[in-house]
Amino acid sequence: MPYVRMLEEYVSQHYVPFHTPGHKIGKSAPVLLQHWMGPALPYDLGVMYALDDLHEPEGPLKEAQELAAQLYGAEHTWFSINGTTAIIQAMILGTVGEGDAIIVPREAHRSVIGGLVLSGARPIYMEGRFSERWGVPLGASVDEVCRTMDAHPEAKALLLVHPNYYGIGVAIEDIVEEAHRRGVIVLVDEAHGPHLPFGKIMPLEAIAAGADVVAQSTHKLAGSLTQTSMLHAQGKLVDYRRITQAHQLLQSTSPNYIFIASLDMARHQLATEGRQLVAATERLSVSVRHRLRTITGIAVPEANDFGGDGGLDCTKILIDFKGLQLSGREAEQRLRKHRIEVELVQGYHVLILLTIGDDETSANALVQAVAAVSKERLDELHRMNIEGVQGKHSDPAHELGREAITALAGSEVRLPKPDVVLTPRQAWQAKRETVALTDAIGRISGETISYYPPGIPFLGMGERITPDVVAYIKRRRSLGYVPNGAKDESLQTIVVCNEE
């Protein structure tokens, strides 16, 4: 761990600090911060030549990044302390520019819109496949990618999400081959895949499939600290220096050295123990999936339920409550009463992530909580049925409301088709005004709005507001979701571009 070693050696020399940060190796840090982070505070140092440079590394940090590239099979790796958002934007800014066309899946994260604003590139959206039964996006097929590239030979780059939030992969190897045959650069949002190379039954990782630039959230499913990620690149289609410059624009000039060191530690952990840790997580996931499927009213899909052409990360477990007539939000609220916090709520399901940090104890807690929710709900349904048969008083309006909410839950996850009128940068620079949502149909959005997680925009700035968009907003609002990115959280009004 070259970067960790350098940091430890520096701290051990006990220099008297006359530099930032102001807490001076923890001495003047708030008492509670000292209590939380006492042993770590001496490692929270200011920018200095002795500790290498995130922007132009020459010593131990450069070596740490080279070791990460070697581990993942890339030619170059950049560390990020500004999350995966910054490196997704860097890989877009570093490969496409003003007016360039880039093919993008509709289920791409909102950070992609930020990359388009910065670069000035023009998005060409792929609709992708969608599972109506499970209410999840399945990614683009090889055929759709090829059709889109052939219809837009001007496209300079293709961005893929692999695997997606649900662990569903695309046929990455075939898609990369087709893109490269046309000279198209392949960028991959692999935020949910830093553990893929170390598994036995995982989807193929993007670098191994030949992708050019790949962004990974090391913190999401490996052991580094939240907000830390890695960007990998390979091949002759990309300009490494340009990506470095984009990376420099989007990283703090005062990087947190503990964050950087955690990436070096996580890389070392994966290099030395990754296969054992991920294999154990896979086994645990397979067991949890089996146990959940034995619970009445619960369904858990497998790879063949999604088509299976790109594989499925089994550690992402979709728990479907449709058989219990529960929406995902209702299920989440009930699980929280049993002290279970889930990753994502949509439709009739919740999504949970099992990682190298899980064990039989956490797995048992999850299964027992789901079983308890099932029993509670079955008892409710039984009482409701008995009351109905016996003609006892009930609240029909309440039950109708519940049925309406449950019915809506299955349809509220499919995103409206985007109608791009302006590039995100053009929309960003345009004059704007606020109008009532009911008056916004036909206008061009001046906002990028999503629900978080998963942070996938249902409306991007520069896109026309269609009746489908307004209907989607109303469905979500009826279910109690709060939007992210909107000036008006209620979405009674919306910001639009002034077209005059």
Side-chain angles (χ1 to χ4, degrees), residues 250-268:
L250 294 161
Q251 296 294 314
S252 171
T253 55
S254 299
N256 187 298
Y257 291 130
I258 301 173
F259 283 11
I260 299 173
S262 80
L263 283 167
D264 198 18
M265 294 175 190
R267 187 273 315 160
H268 182 268

Side-chain angles (χ1 to χ4, degrees), residues 259-303:
F259 283 11
I260 299 173
S262 80
L263 283 167
D264 198 18
M265 294 175 190
R267 187 273 315 160
H268 182 268
Q269 182 185 43
L270 288 172
T272 57
E273 305 174 69
R275 295 197 180 280
Q276 302 96 299
L277 291 171
V278 175
T281 308
E282 287 176 330
R283 290 193 298 270
L284 187 64
S285 301
V286 170
S287 171
V288 168
R289 285 171 169 274
H290 172 74
R291 293 168 64 190
L292 288 171
R293 281 196 294 270
T294 66
I295 299 172
T296 303
I298 298 299
V300 177
E302 296 295 344

Side-chain angles (χ1 to χ4, degrees), residues 1-63:
M1 293 181 281
Y3 193 79
V4 173
R5 183 180 66 248
M6 175 202 66
L7 198 54
E8 288 184 327
E9 288 176 353
Y10 183 87
V11 169
S12 70
Q13 295 176 39
H14 301 291
Y15 285 94
V16 179
F18 290 96
H19 53 71
T20 59
H23 62 66
K24 296 295 179 80
I25 62 174
K27 290 181 180 179
S28 63
V31 173
L32 187 57
L33 188 60
Q34 292 183 48
H35 177 69
W36 280 15
M37 295 186 63
L41 286 172
Y43 297 90
D44 184 32
L45 296 161
V47 177
M48 58 193 73
Y49 72 91
L51 296 174
D52 214 342
D53 182 358
L54 178 64
H55 294 268
E56 296 285 3
E58 297 179 333
L61 177 53
K62 180 180 180 182
E63 183 183 352

Side-chain angles (χ1 to χ4, degrees), residues 139-213:
S141 67
V142 178
D143 287 344
E144 182 182 15
V145 173
C146 289
R147 287 197 308 271
T148 307
M149 289 190 293
D150 291 343
H152 296 276
E154 76 279 15
K156 185 176 180 181
L158 162 70
L159 189 143
L160 300 170
V161 179
H162 171 84
N164 67 13
Y165 216 133
Y166 292 90
I168 302 166
V170 297
I172 185 76
E173 200 165 20
D174 293 339
I175 292 174
V176 170
E177 181 180 352
E178 290 290 347
H180 285 172
R181 193 163 61 82
R182 294 166 173 80
V184 174
I185 301 167
V186 180
L187 314 177
V188 181
D189 173 356
E190 198 176 64
H192 288 269
H195 61 307
L196 296 185
F198 311 99
K200 294 181 179 179
I201 54 175
M202 293 288 177
L204 179 66
E205 64 271 21
I207 283 290
D212 301 291
V213 193

